[in-house]
mmCIF file with all atom_site columns, all heavy atoms in Angstrom:
data_model
loop_
_atom_site.group_PDB
_atom_site.id
_atom_site.type_symbol
_atom_site.label_atom_id
_atom_site.label_alt_id
_atom_site.label_comp_id
_atom_site.label_asym_id
_atom_site.label_entity_id
_atom_site.label_seq_id
_atom_site.pdbx_PDB_ins_code
_atom_site.Cartn_x
_atom_site.Cartn_y
_atom_site.Cartn_z
_atom_site.occupancy
_atom_site.B_iso_or_equiv
_atom_site.pdbx_formal_charge
_atom_site.auth_seq_id
_atom_site.auth_comp_id
_atom_site.auth_asym_id
_atom_site.auth_atom_id
_atom_site.pdbx_PDB_model_num
ATOM 1   N N   . ILE A 1 1  ? -20.388 -88.623  43.827 1.00 94.00 ? 1  ILE A N   1
ATOM 2   C CA  . ILE A 1 1  ? -19.995 -88.433  42.426 1.00 94.00 ? 1  ILE A CA  1
ATOM 3   C C   . ILE A 1 1  ? -21.097 -87.662  41.691 1.00 94.00 ? 1  ILE A C   1
ATOM 4   O O   . ILE A 1 1  ? -22.215 -87.527  42.190 1.00 94.00 ? 1  ILE A O   1
ATOM 5   C CB  . ILE A 1 1  ? -19.745 -89.769  41.685 1.00 94.00 ? 1  ILE A CB  1
ATOM 6   C CG1 . ILE A 1 1  ? -21.028 -90.603  41.637 1.00 94.00 ? 1  ILE A CG1 1
ATOM 7   C CG2 . ILE A 1 1  ? -18.596 -90.530  42.300 1.00 94.00 ? 1  ILE A CG2 1
ATOM 8   C CD1 . ILE A 1 1  ? -20.934 -91.838  40.769 1.00 94.00 ? 1  ILE A CD1 1
ATOM 9   N N   . VAL A 1 2  ? -20.751 -87.172  40.529 1.00 96.00 ? 2  VAL A N   1
ATOM 10  C CA  . VAL A 1 2  ? -21.746 -86.558  39.647 1.00 96.00 ? 2  VAL A CA  1
ATOM 11  C C   . VAL A 1 2  ? -21.838 -87.419  38.392 1.00 96.00 ? 2  VAL A C   1
ATOM 12  O O   . VAL A 1 2  ? -20.819 -87.746  37.785 1.00 96.00 ? 2  VAL A O   1
ATOM 13  C CB  . VAL A 1 2  ? -21.356 -85.115  39.264 1.00 96.00 ? 2  VAL A CB  1
ATOM 14  C CG1 . VAL A 1 2  ? -22.328 -84.561  38.226 1.00 96.00 ? 2  VAL A CG1 1
ATOM 15  C CG2 . VAL A 1 2  ? -21.335 -84.213  40.480 1.00 96.00 ? 2  VAL A CG2 1
ATOM 16  N N   . VAL A 1 3  ? -23.055 -87.796  38.041 1.00 97.00 ? 3  VAL A N   1
ATOM 17  C CA  . VAL A 1 3  ? -23.287 -88.555  36.817 1.00 97.00 ? 3  VAL A CA  1
ATOM 18  C C   . VAL A 1 3  ? -23.760 -87.563  35.755 1.00 97.00 ? 3  VAL A C   1
ATOM 19  O O   . VAL A 1 3  ? -24.785 -86.904  35.918 1.00 97.00 ? 3  VAL A O   1
ATOM 20  C CB  . VAL A 1 3  ? -24.339 -89.653  37.005 1.00 97.00 ? 3  VAL A CB  1
ATOM 21  C CG1 . VAL A 1 3  ? -24.541 -90.422  35.691 1.00 97.00 ? 3  VAL A CG1 1
ATOM 22  C CG2 . VAL A 1 3  ? -23.934 -90.607  38.116 1.00 97.00 ? 3  VAL A CG2 1
ATOM 23  N N   . ILE A 1 4  ? -22.988 -87.434  34.698 1.00 97.00 ? 4  ILE A N   1
ATOM 24  C CA  . ILE A 1 4  ? -23.280 -86.482  33.627 1.00 97.00 ? 4  ILE A CA  1
ATOM 25  C C   . ILE A 1 4  ? -23.698 -87.262  32.382 1.00 97.00 ? 4  ILE A C   1
ATOM 26  O O   . ILE A 1 4  ? -23.093 -88.285  32.048 1.00 97.00 ? 4  ILE A O   1
ATOM 27  C CB  . ILE A 1 4  ? -22.043 -85.619  33.320 1.00 97.00 ? 4  ILE A CB  1
ATOM 28  C CG1 . ILE A 1 4  ? -21.662 -84.793  34.557 1.00 97.00 ? 4  ILE A CG1 1
ATOM 29  C CG2 . ILE A 1 4  ? -22.284 -84.709  32.116 1.00 97.00 ? 4  ILE A CG2 1
ATOM 30  C CD1 . ILE A 1 4  ? -20.259 -84.236  34.512 1.00 97.00 ? 4  ILE A CD1 1
ATOM 31  N N   . SER A 1 5  ? -24.733 -86.776  31.714 1.00 98.00 ? 5  SER A N   1
ATOM 32  C CA  . SER A 1 5  ? -25.185 -87.477  30.515 1.00 98.00 ? 5  SER A CA  1
ATOM 33  C C   . SER A 1 5  ? -25.447 -86.495  29.379 1.00 98.00 ? 5  SER A C   1
ATOM 34  O O   . SER A 1 5  ? -25.871 -85.365  29.590 1.00 98.00 ? 5  SER A O   1
ATOM 35  C CB  . SER A 1 5  ? -26.466 -88.273  30.800 1.00 98.00 ? 5  SER A CB  1
ATOM 36  O OG  . SER A 1 5  ? -27.555 -87.406  31.064 1.00 98.00 ? 5  SER A OG  1
ATOM 37  N N   . VAL A 1 6  ? -25.156 -86.947  28.176 1.00 98.00 ? 6  VAL A N   1
ATOM 38  C CA  . VAL A 1 6  ? -25.459 -86.209  26.943 1.00 98.00 ? 6  VAL A CA  1
ATOM 39  C C   . VAL A 1 6  ? -26.271 -87.159  26.075 1.00 98.00 ? 6  VAL A C   1
ATOM 40  O O   . VAL A 1 6  ? -25.761 -88.178  25.620 1.00 98.00 ? 6  VAL A O   1
ATOM 41  C CB  . VAL A 1 6  ? -24.177 -85.767  26.207 1.00 98.00 ? 6  VAL A CB  1
ATOM 42  C CG1 . VAL A 1 6  ? -24.545 -85.068  24.896 1.00 98.00 ? 6  VAL A CG1 1
ATOM 43  C CG2 . VAL A 1 6  ? -23.334 -84.855  27.076 1.00 98.00 ? 6  VAL A CG2 1
ATOM 44  N N   . SER A 1 7  ? -27.538 -86.833  25.881 1.00 98.00 ? 7  SER A N   1
ATOM 45  C CA  . SER A 1 7  ? -28.415 -87.723  25.118 1.00 98.00 ? 7  SER A CA  1
ATOM 46  C C   . SER A 1 7  ? -28.994 -87.021  23.895 1.00 98.00 ? 7  SER A C   1
ATOM 47  O O   . SER A 1 7  ? -29.117 -85.795  23.860 1.00 98.00 ? 7  SER A O   1
ATOM 48  C CB  . SER A 1 7  ? -29.556 -88.232  26.014 1.00 98.00 ? 7  SER A CB  1
ATOM 49  O OG  . SER A 1 7  ? -30.336 -87.152  26.502 1.00 98.00 ? 7  SER A OG  1
ATOM 50  N N   . ASP A 1 8  ? -29.339 -87.811  22.888 1.00 97.00 ? 8  ASP A N   1
ATOM 51  C CA  . ASP A 1 8  ? -29.924 -87.270  21.665 1.00 97.00 ? 8  ASP A CA  1
ATOM 52  C C   . ASP A 1 8  ? -30.983 -88.223  21.134 1.00 97.00 ? 8  ASP A C   1
ATOM 53  O O   . ASP A 1 8  ? -31.096 -89.360  21.594 1.00 97.00 ? 8  ASP A O   1
ATOM 54  C CB  . ASP A 1 8  ? -28.835 -87.048  20.603 1.00 97.00 ? 8  ASP A CB  1
ATOM 55  C CG  . ASP A 1 8  ? -28.152 -88.338  20.186 1.00 97.00 ? 8  ASP A CG  1
ATOM 56  O OD1 . ASP A 1 8  ? -28.823 -89.210  19.600 1.00 97.00 ? 8  ASP A OD1 1
ATOM 57  O OD2 . ASP A 1 8  ? -26.941 -88.493  20.450 1.00 97.00 ? 8  ASP A OD2 1
ATOM 58  N N   . ASN A 1 9  ? -31.782 -87.735  20.184 1.00 97.00 ? 9  ASN A N   1
ATOM 59  C CA  . ASN A 1 9  ? -32.779 -88.586  19.535 1.00 97.00 ? 9  ASN A CA  1
ATOM 60  C C   . ASN A 1 9  ? -32.371 -88.846  18.089 1.00 97.00 ? 9  ASN A C   1
ATOM 61  O O   . ASN A 1 9  ? -33.191 -88.831  17.180 1.00 97.00 ? 9  ASN A O   1
ATOM 62  C CB  . ASN A 1 9  ? -34.177 -87.956  19.611 1.00 97.00 ? 9  ASN A CB  1
ATOM 63  C CG  . ASN A 1 9  ? -34.262 -86.609  18.888 1.00 97.00 ? 9  ASN A CG  1
ATOM 64  O OD1 . ASN A 1 9  ? -33.240 -86.025  18.519 1.00 97.00 ? 9  ASN A OD1 1
ATOM 65  N ND2 . ASN A 1 9  ? -35.470 -86.105  18.698 1.00 97.00 ? 9  ASN A ND2 1
ATOM 66  N N   . GLY A 1 10 ? -31.070 -89.072  17.925 1.00 94.00 ? 10 GLY A N   1
ATOM 67  C CA  . GLY A 1 10 ? -30.493 -89.263  16.598 1.00 94.00 ? 10 GLY A CA  1
ATOM 68  C C   . GLY A 1 10 ? -30.585 -90.673  16.065 1.00 94.00 ? 10 GLY A C   1
ATOM 69  O O   . GLY A 1 10 ? -31.486 -91.440  16.412 1.00 94.00 ? 10 GLY A O   1
ATOM 70  N N   . ILE A 1 11 ? -29.600 -91.041  15.250 1.00 93.00 ? 11 ILE A N   1
ATOM 71  C CA  . ILE A 1 11 ? -29.668 -92.299  14.500 1.00 93.00 ? 11 ILE A CA  1
ATOM 72  C C   . ILE A 1 11 ? -29.298 -93.523  15.331 1.00 93.00 ? 11 ILE A C   1
ATOM 73  O O   . ILE A 1 11 ? -29.567 -94.652  14.935 1.00 93.00 ? 11 ILE A O   1
ATOM 74  C CB  . ILE A 1 11 ? -28.760 -92.241  13.251 1.00 93.00 ? 11 ILE A CB  1
ATOM 75  C CG1 . ILE A 1 11 ? -27.298 -92.004  13.653 1.00 93.00 ? 11 ILE A CG1 1
ATOM 76  C CG2 . ILE A 1 11 ? -29.244 -91.153  12.305 1.00 93.00 ? 11 ILE A CG2 1
ATOM 77  C CD1 . ILE A 1 11 ? -26.334 -92.006  12.467 1.00 93.00 ? 11 ILE A CD1 1
ATOM 78  N N   . GLY A 1 12 ? -28.685 -93.309  16.505 1.00 94.00 ? 12 GLY A N   1
ATOM 79  C CA  . GLY A 1 12 ? -28.321 -94.436  17.353 1.00 94.00 ? 12 GLY A CA  1
ATOM 80  C C   . GLY A 1 12 ? -27.087 -95.179  16.870 1.00 94.00 ? 12 GLY A C   1
ATOM 81  O O   . GLY A 1 12 ? -26.503 -94.853  15.831 1.00 94.00 ? 12 GLY A O   1
ATOM 82  N N   . ILE A 1 13 ? -26.697 -96.184  17.651 1.00 91.00 ? 13 ILE A N   1
ATOM 83  C CA  . ILE A 1 13 ? -25.469 -96.945  17.363 1.00 91.00 ? 13 ILE A CA  1
ATOM 84  C C   . ILE A 1 13 ? -25.781 -98.437  17.354 1.00 91.00 ? 13 ILE A C   1
ATOM 85  O O   . ILE A 1 13 ? -26.461 -98.942  18.250 1.00 91.00 ? 13 ILE A O   1
ATOM 86  C CB  . ILE A 1 13 ? -24.390 -96.668  18.433 1.00 91.00 ? 13 ILE A CB  1
ATOM 87  C CG1 . ILE A 1 13 ? -24.148 -95.158  18.569 1.00 91.00 ? 13 ILE A CG1 1
ATOM 88  C CG2 . ILE A 1 13 ? -23.085 -97.387  18.093 1.00 91.00 ? 13 ILE A CG2 1
ATOM 89  C CD1 . ILE A 1 13 ? -23.338 -94.797  19.798 1.00 91.00 ? 13 ILE A CD1 1
ATOM 90  N N   . LYS A 1 14 ? -25.280 -99.131  16.352 1.00 90.00 ? 14 LYS A N   1
ATOM 91  C CA  . LYS A 1 14 ? -25.485 -100.574 16.280 1.00 90.00 ? 14 LYS A CA  1
ATOM 92  C C   . LYS A 1 14 ? -24.736 -101.265 17.423 1.00 90.00 ? 14 LYS A C   1
ATOM 93  O O   . LYS A 1 14 ? -23.640 -100.854 17.791 1.00 90.00 ? 14 LYS A O   1
ATOM 94  C CB  . LYS A 1 14 ? -24.986 -101.109 14.940 1.00 90.00 ? 14 LYS A CB  1
ATOM 95  C CG  . LYS A 1 14 ? -25.788 -100.608 13.744 1.00 90.00 ? 14 LYS A CG  1
ATOM 96  C CD  . LYS A 1 14 ? -25.228 -101.162 12.442 1.00 90.00 ? 14 LYS A CD  1
ATOM 97  C CE  . LYS A 1 14 ? -26.038 -100.650 11.247 1.00 90.00 ? 14 LYS A CE  1
ATOM 98  N NZ  . LYS A 1 14 ? -25.492 -101.156 9.957  1.00 90.00 ? 14 LYS A NZ  1
ATOM 99  N N   . PRO A 1 15 ? -25.321 -102.332 18.004 1.00 90.00 ? 15 PRO A N   1
ATOM 100 C CA  . PRO A 1 15 ? -24.705 -103.029 19.132 1.00 90.00 ? 15 PRO A CA  1
ATOM 101 C C   . PRO A 1 15 ? -23.267 -103.454 18.889 1.00 90.00 ? 15 PRO A C   1
ATOM 102 O O   . PRO A 1 15 ? -22.419 -103.355 19.773 1.00 90.00 ? 15 PRO A O   1
ATOM 103 C CB  . PRO A 1 15 ? -25.620 -104.252 19.333 1.00 90.00 ? 15 PRO A CB  1
ATOM 104 C CG  . PRO A 1 15 ? -26.952 -103.780 18.833 1.00 90.00 ? 15 PRO A CG  1
ATOM 105 C CD  . PRO A 1 15 ? -26.637 -102.902 17.658 1.00 90.00 ? 15 PRO A CD  1
ATOM 106 N N   . ASP A 1 16 ? -22.953 -103.925 17.676 1.00 87.00 ? 16 ASP A N   1
ATOM 107 C CA  . ASP A 1 16 ? -21.601 -104.409 17.407 1.00 87.00 ? 16 ASP A CA  1
ATOM 108 C C   . ASP A 1 16 ? -20.583 -103.277 17.376 1.00 87.00 ? 16 ASP A C   1
ATOM 109 O O   . ASP A 1 16 ? -19.382 -103.494 17.558 1.00 87.00 ? 16 ASP A O   1
ATOM 110 C CB  . ASP A 1 16 ? -21.552 -105.179 16.078 1.00 87.00 ? 16 ASP A CB  1
ATOM 111 C CG  . ASP A 1 16 ? -21.928 -104.300 14.883 1.00 87.00 ? 16 ASP A CG  1
ATOM 112 O OD1 . ASP A 1 16 ? -22.925 -103.566 14.983 1.00 87.00 ? 16 ASP A OD1 1
ATOM 113 O OD2 . ASP A 1 16 ? -21.226 -104.354 13.862 1.00 87.00 ? 16 ASP A OD2 1
ATOM 114 N N   . LYS A 1 17 ? -21.058 -102.033 17.165 1.00 87.00 ? 17 LYS A N   1
ATOM 115 C CA  . LYS A 1 17 ? -20.153 -100.882 17.152 1.00 87.00 ? 17 LYS A CA  1
ATOM 116 C C   . LYS A 1 17 ? -19.941 -100.297 18.539 1.00 87.00 ? 17 LYS A C   1
ATOM 117 O O   . LYS A 1 17 ? -18.918 -99.671  18.806 1.00 87.00 ? 17 LYS A O   1
ATOM 118 C CB  . LYS A 1 17 ? -20.681 -99.804  16.203 1.00 87.00 ? 17 LYS A CB  1
ATOM 119 C CG  . LYS A 1 17 ? -20.519 -100.139 14.732 1.00 87.00 ? 17 LYS A CG  1
ATOM 120 C CD  . LYS A 1 17 ? -20.785 -98.931  13.847 1.00 87.00 ? 17 LYS A CD  1
ATOM 121 C CE  . LYS A 1 17 ? -20.460 -99.242  12.386 1.00 87.00 ? 17 LYS A CE  1
ATOM 122 N NZ  . LYS A 1 17 ? -20.644 -98.048  11.520 1.00 87.00 ? 17 LYS A NZ  1
ATOM 123 N N   . MET A 1 18 ? -20.923 -100.474 19.426 1.00 86.00 ? 18 MET A N   1
ATOM 124 C CA  . MET A 1 18 ? -20.817 -99.888  20.766 1.00 86.00 ? 18 MET A CA  1
ATOM 125 C C   . MET A 1 18 ? -19.624 -100.421 21.544 1.00 86.00 ? 18 MET A C   1
ATOM 126 O O   . MET A 1 18 ? -19.001 -99.706  22.316 1.00 86.00 ? 18 MET A O   1
ATOM 127 C CB  . MET A 1 18 ? -22.115 -100.122 21.550 1.00 86.00 ? 18 MET A CB  1
ATOM 128 C CG  . MET A 1 18 ? -23.237 -99.189  21.141 1.00 86.00 ? 18 MET A CG  1
ATOM 129 S SD  . MET A 1 18 ? -24.545 -99.068  22.382 1.00 86.00 ? 18 MET A SD  1
ATOM 130 C CE  . MET A 1 18 ? -25.308 -100.661 22.223 1.00 86.00 ? 18 MET A CE  1
ATOM 131 N N   . THR A 1 19 ? -19.292 -101.687 21.332 1.00 82.00 ? 19 THR A N   1
ATOM 132 C CA  . THR A 1 19 ? -18.185 -102.296 22.062 1.00 82.00 ? 19 THR A CA  1
ATOM 133 C C   . THR A 1 19 ? -16.823 -101.795 21.587 1.00 82.00 ? 19 THR A C   1
ATOM 134 O O   . THR A 1 19 ? -15.812 -102.019 22.244 1.00 82.00 ? 19 THR A O   1
ATOM 135 C CB  . THR A 1 19 ? -18.229 -103.834 21.918 1.00 82.00 ? 19 THR A CB  1
ATOM 136 O OG1 . THR A 1 19 ? -18.153 -104.173 20.527 1.00 82.00 ? 19 THR A OG1 1
ATOM 137 C CG2 . THR A 1 19 ? -19.521 -104.390 22.503 1.00 82.00 ? 19 THR A CG2 1
ATOM 138 N N   . LYS A 1 20 ? -16.793 -101.110 20.439 1.00 85.00 ? 20 LYS A N   1
ATOM 139 C CA  . LYS A 1 20 ? -15.527 -100.658 19.859 1.00 85.00 ? 20 LYS A CA  1
ATOM 140 C C   . LYS A 1 20 ? -15.263 -99.164  20.050 1.00 85.00 ? 20 LYS A C   1
ATOM 141 O O   . LYS A 1 20 ? -14.184 -98.671  19.730 1.00 85.00 ? 20 LYS A O   1
ATOM 142 C CB  . LYS A 1 20 ? -15.504 -100.971 18.359 1.00 85.00 ? 20 LYS A CB  1
ATOM 143 C CG  . LYS A 1 20 ? -15.722 -102.441 18.023 1.00 85.00 ? 20 LYS A CG  1
ATOM 144 C CD  . LYS A 1 20 ? -15.833 -102.647 16.522 1.00 85.00 ? 20 LYS A CD  1
ATOM 145 C CE  . LYS A 1 20 ? -16.115 -104.093 16.177 1.00 85.00 ? 20 LYS A CE  1
ATOM 146 N NZ  . LYS A 1 20 ? -16.274 -104.303 14.719 1.00 85.00 ? 20 LYS A NZ  1
ATOM 147 N N   . LEU A 1 21 ? -16.268 -98.427  20.552 1.00 88.00 ? 21 LEU A N   1
ATOM 148 C CA  . LEU A 1 21 ? -16.183 -96.972  20.590 1.00 88.00 ? 21 LEU A CA  1
ATOM 149 C C   . LEU A 1 21 ? -15.009 -96.430  21.385 1.00 88.00 ? 21 LEU A C   1
ATOM 150 O O   . LEU A 1 21 ? -14.423 -95.409  21.029 1.00 88.00 ? 21 LEU A O   1
ATOM 151 C CB  . LEU A 1 21 ? -17.485 -96.396  21.179 1.00 88.00 ? 21 LEU A CB  1
ATOM 152 C CG  . LEU A 1 21 ? -18.736 -96.539  20.322 1.00 88.00 ? 21 LEU A CG  1
ATOM 153 C CD1 . LEU A 1 21 ? -19.953 -96.016  21.084 1.00 88.00 ? 21 LEU A CD1 1
ATOM 154 C CD2 . LEU A 1 21 ? -18.584 -95.795  19.001 1.00 88.00 ? 21 LEU A CD2 1
ATOM 155 N N   . PHE A 1 22 ? -14.651 -97.097  22.475 1.00 85.00 ? 22 PHE A N   1
ATOM 156 C CA  . PHE A 1 22 ? -13.629 -96.577  23.380 1.00 85.00 ? 22 PHE A CA  1
ATOM 157 C C   . PHE A 1 22 ? -12.305 -97.338  23.277 1.00 85.00 ? 22 PHE A C   1
ATOM 158 O O   . PHE A 1 22 ? -11.445 -97.214  24.144 1.00 85.00 ? 22 PHE A O   1
ATOM 159 C CB  . PHE A 1 22 ? -14.127 -96.621  24.827 1.00 85.00 ? 22 PHE A CB  1
ATOM 160 C CG  . PHE A 1 22 ? -15.418 -95.877  25.045 1.00 85.00 ? 22 PHE A CG  1
ATOM 161 C CD1 . PHE A 1 22 ? -16.608 -96.563  25.210 1.00 85.00 ? 22 PHE A CD1 1
ATOM 162 C CD2 . PHE A 1 22 ? -15.440 -94.484  25.072 1.00 85.00 ? 22 PHE A CD2 1
ATOM 163 C CE1 . PHE A 1 22 ? -17.801 -95.876  25.408 1.00 85.00 ? 22 PHE A CE1 1
ATOM 164 C CE2 . PHE A 1 22 ? -16.624 -93.791  25.276 1.00 85.00 ? 22 PHE A CE2 1
ATOM 165 C CZ  . PHE A 1 22 ? -17.812 -94.487  25.438 1.00 85.00 ? 22 PHE A CZ  1
ATOM 166 N N   . ASP A 1 23 ? -12.152 -98.120  22.211 1.00 82.00 ? 23 ASP A N   1
ATOM 167 C CA  . ASP A 1 23 ? -10.966 -98.971  22.046 1.00 82.00 ? 23 ASP A CA  1
ATOM 168 C C   . ASP A 1 23 ? -10.095 -98.421  20.910 1.00 82.00 ? 23 ASP A C   1
ATOM 169 O O   . ASP A 1 23 ? -10.521 -98.391  19.759 1.00 82.00 ? 23 ASP A O   1
ATOM 170 C CB  . ASP A 1 23 ? -11.406 -100.403 21.736 1.00 82.00 ? 23 ASP A CB  1
ATOM 171 C CG  . ASP A 1 23 ? -10.244 -101.382 21.694 1.00 82.00 ? 23 ASP A CG  1
ATOM 172 O OD1 . ASP A 1 23 ? -9.068  -100.928 21.701 1.00 82.00 ? 23 ASP A OD1 1
ATOM 173 O OD2 . ASP A 1 23 ? -10.501 -102.594 21.650 1.00 82.00 ? 23 ASP A OD2 1
ATOM 174 N N   . ILE A 1 24 ? -8.864  -97.990  21.238 1.00 69.00 ? 24 ILE A N   1
ATOM 175 C CA  . ILE A 1 24 ? -7.973  -97.405  20.234 1.00 69.00 ? 24 ILE A CA  1
ATOM 176 C C   . ILE A 1 24 ? -7.639  -98.404  19.133 1.00 69.00 ? 24 ILE A C   1
ATOM 177 O O   . ILE A 1 24 ? -7.447  -98.021  17.976 1.00 69.00 ? 24 ILE A O   1
ATOM 178 C CB  . ILE A 1 24 ? -6.668  -96.890  20.895 1.00 69.00 ? 24 ILE A CB  1
ATOM 179 C CG1 . ILE A 1 24 ? -5.797  -96.154  19.879 1.00 69.00 ? 24 ILE A CG1 1
ATOM 180 C CG2 . ILE A 1 24 ? -5.914  -98.016  21.560 1.00 69.00 ? 24 ILE A CG2 1
ATOM 181 C CD1 . ILE A 1 24 ? -6.382  -94.894  19.320 1.00 69.00 ? 24 ILE A CD1 1
ATOM 182 N N   . SER A 1 25 ? -7.604  -99.685  19.456 1.00 67.00 ? 25 SER A N   1
ATOM 183 C CA  . SER A 1 25 ? -7.275  -100.690 18.448 1.00 67.00 ? 25 SER A CA  1
ATOM 184 C C   . SER A 1 25 ? -8.428  -100.921 17.480 1.00 67.00 ? 25 SER A C   1
ATOM 185 O O   . SER A 1 25 ? -8.255  -101.536 16.424 1.00 67.00 ? 25 SER A O   1
ATOM 186 C CB  . SER A 1 25 ? -6.903  -102.023 19.115 1.00 67.00 ? 25 SER A CB  1
ATOM 187 O OG  . SER A 1 25 ? -8.019  -102.603 19.765 1.00 67.00 ? 25 SER A OG  1
#
């Protein structure tokens, strides 16, 4: 497989929001 990453030194994401990023609901 190929592991691809896009990283930044920006503002970051709060832990409680990370669990919701990929959920349409």
